[in-house]
Amino acid sequence: MEFLLNERSLHGQFESTEDFLKSLVPVMKCIEIIRRSSDIGIYKIQNFHECQITGKLKICNLKLNGVSDELLRFKLSLDQEAYKEPYWDRESVHDVSQEFIWNGEDVTATSLAEAAVTKNALLSFASDSFYDCVLSIYRREEKFNVPSIHTPKYLLEKFHDILNVDEKYILLIRYEGTRIDCSMLESAYGVSILEKDEFSELLSTLDKFVNHESWESIGRDDGLEFKKYSPPSAKHNWFSGIRYKNKTIMKFRFSKVLRGFGYRTGDRFKLLRLERDHKISDHG
């Protein structure tokens, strides 16, 4: 499995250098995640630095006057990818004498055709046509489905099995910016205690939290059973320490036996612990 930087997703769509650099946040995060797996390559065309980012500017002639240190960091990170090997077009796999069609366009001799034949995925920049989707590419009657990745969330949804990423990191990326906060999930009672199918059930349930209209509709969801954790005595209180003093601990179910615990801060729910047999939940 390899990833190809999608040069077709840079077609002069940005208004300014700053807009382009700001747009790099998700795709550079994807690259960082992939780089964790040393055996997975990121390929590009040899003249990738010639890609158009505004109507007048290419990657190779970005004007960085007045750019913040943070945006400059994104530029330097992109340079590390744009100006070094490996290059897929030094010895392309797809036959450039054949016609590859995407969305009515001939994409022969591009990363789209190469990804199709090699069964790899594209890493795409901020462009509506390539945003977290599967592209249908044709060679005559033959159809190829090529994933086009823009965000870390989509990257991990598609390829977490082959990337060297632990389950808590998947939670942090998947629910970043949502009403679910997994940063406080305790390791002793975290996702490491779950089997693979149980982790999938947790993801499905947390997705329900995210997709609900409001906390009121979450409270009415009988499947979640989201309610206050109310142990009968201090003896049975799983959260009796000082750390959780004055916190209103809530619990929810993510299968017939699996339970999750946490508390709300404003509109966000901080997930703290998971339980596999609901024995603790039975006492509260």
Side-chain angles (χ1 to χ4, degrees), residues 17-271:
T17 295
E18 187 171 357
D19 287 341
F20 168 64
L21 293 175
K22 287 180 179 177
S23 79
L24 290 178
V25 177
V27 72
M28 298 313 297
K29 188 66 176 180
C30 287
I31 290 173
E32 178 186 327
I33 293 170
I34 295 167
R35 290 298 183 201
R36 290 168 176 250
S37 300
S38 58
D39 59 335
I40 297 179
I42 299 176
Y43 290 75
K44 78 287 294 178
I45 56 173
Q46 295 180 69
N47 65 342
F48 181 80
H49 56 279
E50 294 285 335
C51 290
Q52 205 79 29
I53 59 170
T54 74
K56 297 181 179 180
L57 292 176
K58 301 176 181 180
I59 288 177
C60 59
N61 55 19
L62 282 176
K63 297 178 181 178
L64 300 176
N65 297 337
V67 170
S68 69
D69 289 343
E70 182 181 20
L71 295 183
L72 181 59
R73 178 169 56 84
F74 294 146
K75 169 62 168 62
L76 294 175
S77 297
L78 180 62
D79 284 349
Q80 291 177 4
E81 298 301 325
Y83 293 101
K84 68 177 184 181
E85 296 187 9
Y87 301 112
W88 64 261
D89 58 338
R90 281 191 171 164
E91 193 172 347
S92 63
V93 174
H94 79 279
D95 186 346
V96 296
S97 69
Q98 297 180 331
E99 191 176 59
F100 290 80
I101 302 297
W102 165 75
N103 208 23
E105 299 179 44
D106 184 353
V107 292
T108 306
T110 72
S111 59
L112 279 69
E114 186 73 4
V117 170
T118 57
K119 298 182 180 179
N120 288 318
L122 297 168
L123 284 178
S124 297
F125 295 82
S127 176
D128 291 343
S129 298
F130 298 105
Y131 188 95
D132 289 350
C133 59
V134 176
L135 307 179
S136 297
I137 299 173
Y138 294 87
R139 180 177 57 188
R140 295 185 179 178
E141 301 301 317
E142 186 177 7
K143 178 182 177 182
F144 301 90
N145 294 318
V146 177
S148 175
I149 311 295
H150 179 65
T151 66
K153 178 181 177 181
Y154 195 65
L155 172 68
L156 293 179
E157 284 178 2
K158 287 286 186 181
F159 300 111
H160 71 267
D161 285 343
I162 66 170
L163 296 170
N164 186 26
V165 178
D166 63 57
E167 286 85 355
K168 184 174 181 180
Y169 188 74
I170 292 173
L171 292 180
L172 292 173
I173 294 297
R174 188 183 184 98
Y175 299 108
E176 184 177 12
T178 72
R179 60 166 56 102
I180 298 296
D181 180 354
C182 299
S183 62
M184 294 181 64
L185 185 61
E186 299 176 22
S187 57
Y189 312 105
V191 286
S192 62
I193 71 171
L194 301 179
E195 301 293 338
K196 185 175 181 179
D197 60 331
E198 294 172 337
F199 181 64
S200 295
E201 289 181 290
L202 175 64
L203 293 180
S204 296
T205 301
L206 294 180
D207 285 349
K208 288 184 69 176
F209 273 93
V210 170
N211 293 326
H212 262 286
E213 292 182 1
S214 65
W215 284 105
E216 288 72 22
S217 63
I218 289 172
R220 294 192 297 269
D221 189 323
D222 293 336
L224 291 174
E225 290 190 6
F226 182 69
K227 55 187 177 183
K228 185 178 179 181
Y229 170 61
S230 303
S233 65
K235 174 184 176 181
H236 293 105
N237 188 355
W238 201 23
F239 297 89
S240 58
I242 296 176
R243 184 178 182 184
Y244 301 117
K245 186 179 181 180
N246 299 324
K247 303 294 185 186
T248 300
I249 303 297
M250 305 293 290
K251 64 178 183 177
F252 64 92
R253 60 182 294 176
F254 57 102
S255 81
K256 291 183 178 180
V257 295
L258 299 166
R259 301 292 183 266
F261 297 80
Y263 65 90
R264 275 186 62 186
T265 299
D267 191 51
R268 305 202 75 195
F269 180 72
K270 295 185 179 294
L271 183 62

